[in-house]
């Protein structure tokens, strides 16, 4: 069986303990952390240099910056999967990224959230199960059967 | 006085009515003139609704002299405010608004303020509206306080979420590196308490950050109280006011250093001691804060092969949060940690 490619992840989070937790969880579950950024500028610089597959982004960053500014600056990186991990999902739209996980979240929920975003990037679809406090920002091309209530109704 | 010559007959009549007030109800007019509540009377029957009385409080609020407002159209004066405010005033005059309008208005010097406006109609015996009595309550300070309160609530929300997240990360970390339930519990408890103490420090100063001396004492408190260690910890340095970020980051670092000292270092034996000292230093890149943690007379400490949460929090954490340099060394004389960070001094403190 072909071994899965190690996915590179950028972390944008201004809280030390939270950033540290994300990093150790990612490493523990077999991801590669290509950088931790505290500000929008740092995140953009790391992304340009390291070309990550995924980004875990907090909305409120140091120096008053917003995580959504990172997504806007990197909008040309169409293969970058963006998962917001934030205290407040208000005001996030499809233009900002792929999904959002609301703090506090557990490690396994973070990992599952990233898997869903990676799947979205690779196939345009997503499969259940969704973690707690997880929300898709973009609509999948073809939602899986279980996510389409009308299809379920037809089938029964 | 050219102003007086320009007065219309209606104005003169209206002023005469106010004069009558003064004659008939002297104390009330004196009260209106001297109250801190801004008030004006206007002539409802003259075109443009001219002001026929303005008290000192109104002049203080708007920054105009009395001769700049008397006989001037109240409506024209209000048009210097924001357009929606002008609409709100109009509606209130016409009696179509349900509540007293709150308007954003400009002073003579173009600075702005918020007021609640109360409009009362003064009627003649036949029921005709002859004057408007308009009073104001200055809401500027109230508005500013509201904005500040909102900002604090937002900050609180952010911190609560991050604190819960930190608690989850503490639990995950403890389970990843331990298998003994007692050790896992001790690890979780001690770090949650450390987090709580850091927040206590922030709270005690309205979340503006703590003083460095207070911070070090608080971080070491759980380790000094027990087992007579108090005399073996020496803290030397000023109570420099720190930013909230520095308070949290340094609070975590000192906690980890102290916990390490109690478990493996100078505070794990009866004889060892710790000296903590700091000073500021001017450099071409700006003022720096140099903190020195030095353990003495303890057992030789082996650097742990696995970088645990503690040493990561100290080395990477401080460097990451504060943009500084941290050296954690394990000479045979005892653990030595030097922290070199940009002075995280709060604005407004020299």
């Amino acid at each position: 069986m072909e071994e899965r490619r190690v996915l590179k992840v950028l972390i944008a989070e201004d809280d030390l303990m939270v950033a540290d937790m994300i990093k150790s969880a990612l490493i523990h579950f077999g991801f590669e952390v290509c950088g931790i950024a505290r500000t929008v500028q740092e995140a953009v610089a790391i992304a340009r240099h390291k070309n990550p597959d995924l980004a875990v982004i907090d909305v409120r960053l140091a120096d008053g910056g917003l995580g959504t500014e990172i997504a806007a600056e990197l909008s040309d990186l169409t293969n970058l999967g963006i998962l917001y991990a934030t205290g407040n999902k208000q005001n996030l739209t499809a233009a900002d990224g792929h999904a959002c996980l609301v703090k506090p979240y557990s490690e396994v929920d973070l990992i599952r959230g990233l898997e869903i975003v990676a799947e979205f990037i690779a196939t345009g679809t997503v499969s259940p199960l969704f973690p707690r406090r997880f929300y898709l920002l973009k609509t999948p091309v073809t939602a899986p059967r279980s996510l389409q209530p009308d299809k379920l109704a037809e089938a029964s | 006085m050219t102003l007086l010559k320009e007065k219309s007959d209606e104005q003169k009549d209206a002023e005469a009515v106010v004069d009558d007030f003064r004659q008939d109800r002297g104390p009330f007019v004196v009260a209106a003139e001297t109250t801190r509540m801004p008030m004006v009377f206007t002539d409802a029957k003259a075109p443009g609704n001219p002001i026929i009385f303005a008290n000192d409080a109104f002049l203080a609020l708007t920054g105009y002299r009395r001769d700049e407002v008397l006989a001037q159209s109240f409506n024209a004066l209000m048009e210097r405010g924001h357009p929606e405010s002008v609409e709100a005033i109009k509606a209130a005059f016409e009696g179509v608004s349900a509540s007293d309008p709150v308007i954003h208005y400009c002073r003579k010097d173009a600075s702005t303020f918020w007021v609640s406006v109360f409009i009362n109609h003064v009627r003649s015996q036949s029921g005709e509206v002859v004057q408007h009595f308009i009073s104001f309550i200055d809401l500027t300070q109230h508005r500013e306080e509201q904005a500040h309160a909102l900002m604090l609530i937002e900050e609180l929300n952010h911190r609560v979420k991050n604190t819960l997240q930190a608690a989850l990360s503490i639990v995950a970390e403890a389970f990843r590196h331990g298998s003994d339930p007692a050790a896992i519990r001790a690890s979780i408890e001690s770090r949650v308490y450390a987090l709580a103490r850091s927040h206590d420090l922030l709270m005690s100063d309205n979340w503006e950050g703590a003083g460095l001396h207070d911070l070090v004492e608080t971080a070491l408190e759980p380790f000094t109280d027990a087992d007579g260690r108090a005399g073996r910890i020496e803290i030397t340095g000023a109570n420099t006011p720190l930013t909230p970020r520095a308070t949290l980051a340094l609070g975590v670092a000192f906690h980890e250093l102290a916990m390490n000292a109690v478990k493996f270092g100078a505070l794990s034996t009866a004889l060892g001691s710790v000296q903590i000292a700091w000073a500021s230093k001017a450099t071409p890149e700006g003022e720096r804060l140099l903190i020195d943690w030095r353990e003495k007379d303890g057992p030789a400490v082996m650097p742990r092969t696995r970088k645990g949460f503690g040493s990561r929090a100290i080395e990477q954490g401080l460097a990451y949060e504060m943009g500084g340099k941290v050296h954690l060394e394990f000479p045979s004389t005892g653990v030595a940690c030097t922290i070199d960070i940009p002075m995280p001094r709060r604005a407004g403190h020299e």
Side-chain angles (χ1 to χ4, degrees), chain A residues 29-42:
Chain A
F29 286 93
F31 291 83
E32 180 191 331
V33 174
C34 69
I36 300 182
R38 289 178 53 238
T39 64
V40 173
Q41 288 75 14
E42 283 172 19

Side-chain angles (χ1 to χ4, degrees), chain A residues 13-21 23-25 28 36-38 58 60 62 87 103-107, chain B residues 154-155 157-158 161-162 164-166 168-170 172-173 176 195 245 252 309 312-313 316-317 320-321:
Chain A
E13 165 65 62
D14 70 332
D15 189 289
L16 155 70
M17 291 196 70
V18 179
D20 192 60
M21 176 255 187
K23 183 183 173 187
S24 40
H28 185 73
I36 300 182
R38 289 178 53 238
D58 187 10
R60 270 183 62 151
K103 284 180 186 173
Y105 50 84
S106 74
E107 285 187 358
Chain B
E154 203 179 298
E155 183 66 22
N157 188 34
H158 181 67
K161 294 286 174 63
N162 271 4
L164 290 171
Q165 192 59 57
L168 282 183
S169 69
I170 286 167
E173 184 75 20
R176 194 176 301 136
L195 201 56
R245 177 172 293 279
V252 169
F309 180 87
R312 276 215 309 280
Q316 296 172 15
Y320 170 61
E321 290 266 314

